[in-house]
Amino acid sequence: LDFGTTGFPFEDFVAAVMQTKGFEVKTRQLLPGACVTHEMDVVAENDEVIIWIECKYHPLAGSVSNIKVPLYVHSRFRDLAQHREGHLSSQDHRPALGWIVTNTRFSDDAMSYGHCAGMNLISWNYPVNGSLRSMIDESGLYPITCLSSLTHREKETLLNNGIILCQNLMRPGNWAD
């Protein structure tokens, strides 16, 4: 919940977690749809699949991503898929999947619609296998925001300087002399 107000650090964190799963990732990509261009928070690719990830970061505990989130994100995924199908090269037949990742939770209606529409919804404790919490534990990547020894201002300074992960604090060259 301490990633700040923009959501960009959360997107970078999700990208880092996907990298540990063997994906090549790009953040904040402009992708052409059949109707309009869309900014996708994270695009994760490997030899088998392309995953378009919309991140929904909430800075307040108890926040819920309601039905509106998967409704509008699903229409974006459909527009991207329609463009991709019309321009698919004969060499790239990987399926493209749509994910929504939030740091809090989804409403019941949001989860029902997301499943019915074929999207993968990931929240802090959902699904049981593959939740954001379990992905963090499996990856061993922890955000600097989990360090209780840092003040809010120190966390903010680190995040503003692109230091998202605890392991980044241990790497030389992160700080100017």
Side-chain angles (χ1 to χ4, degrees):
L1 298 173
D2 288 341
F3 272 128
T5 57
T6 68
F8 295 139
F10 182 63
E11 294 169 7
D12 294 336
F13 180 70
V14 170
V17 169
M18 294 303 288
Q19 279 182 311
T20 67
K21 293 180 164 293
F23 288 91
E24 291 183 33
V25 298
K26 295 179 183 173
T27 56
R28 296 176 279 289
Q29 296 294 296
L30 292 177
L31 302 177
C35 302
V36 297
T37 298
H38 302 274
E39 182 178 335
M40 192 54 49
D41 296 333
V42 179
V43 178
E45 299 183 42
N46 64 20
D47 292 338
E48 298 169 11
V49 68
I50 298 169
I51 303 174
W52 297 318
I53 303 173
E54 178 69 20
C55 296
K56 288 297 162 201
Y57 168 74
H58 300 284
L60 300 174
S63 296
V64 176
S65 290
N66 63 27
I67 184 69
K68 293 176 189 175
V69 173
L71 281 171
Y72 86 78
V73 172
H74 183 233
S75 63
R76 292 176 65 207
F77 290 156
R78 285 191 324 223
D79 190 43
L80 291 168
Q82 185 178 354
H83 172 79
R84 187 170 183 270
E85 289 166 10
H87 294 85
L88 191 62
S89 75
S90 60
Q91 299 172 1
D92 190 355
H93 294 289
R94 297 174 294 172
L97 306 176
W99 289 18
I100 305 174
V101 179
T102 185
N103 64 315
T104 56
R105 67 181 198 88
F106 293 101
S107 70
D108 290 340
D109 282 347
M111 287 189 293
S112 294
Y113 182 84
H115 290 297
C116 180
M119 293 186 293
N120 191 13
L121 275 60
I122 298 171
S123 67
W124 183 248
N125 285 319
Y126 183 84
V128 174
N129 295 317
S131 68
L132 183 57
R133 173 187 242 163
S134 65
M135 289 171 71
I136 291 168
D137 288 341
E138 288 169 12
S139 70
L141 298 180
Y142 295 94
I144 56 101
T145 56
C146 74
L147 297 174
S148 58
S149 59
L150 296 177
T151 66
H152 179 73
R153 185 173 178 190
E154 290 169 330
K155 291 175 186 178
E156 189 176 296
T157 299
L158 289 168
L159 292 170
N160 288 338
N161 284 287
I163 307 297
I164 308 296
L165 304 172
C166 291
Q167 71 182 35
N168 294 138
L169 294 173
M170 302 300 291
R171 291 199 181 134
N174 282 331
W175 298 100
D177 291 331

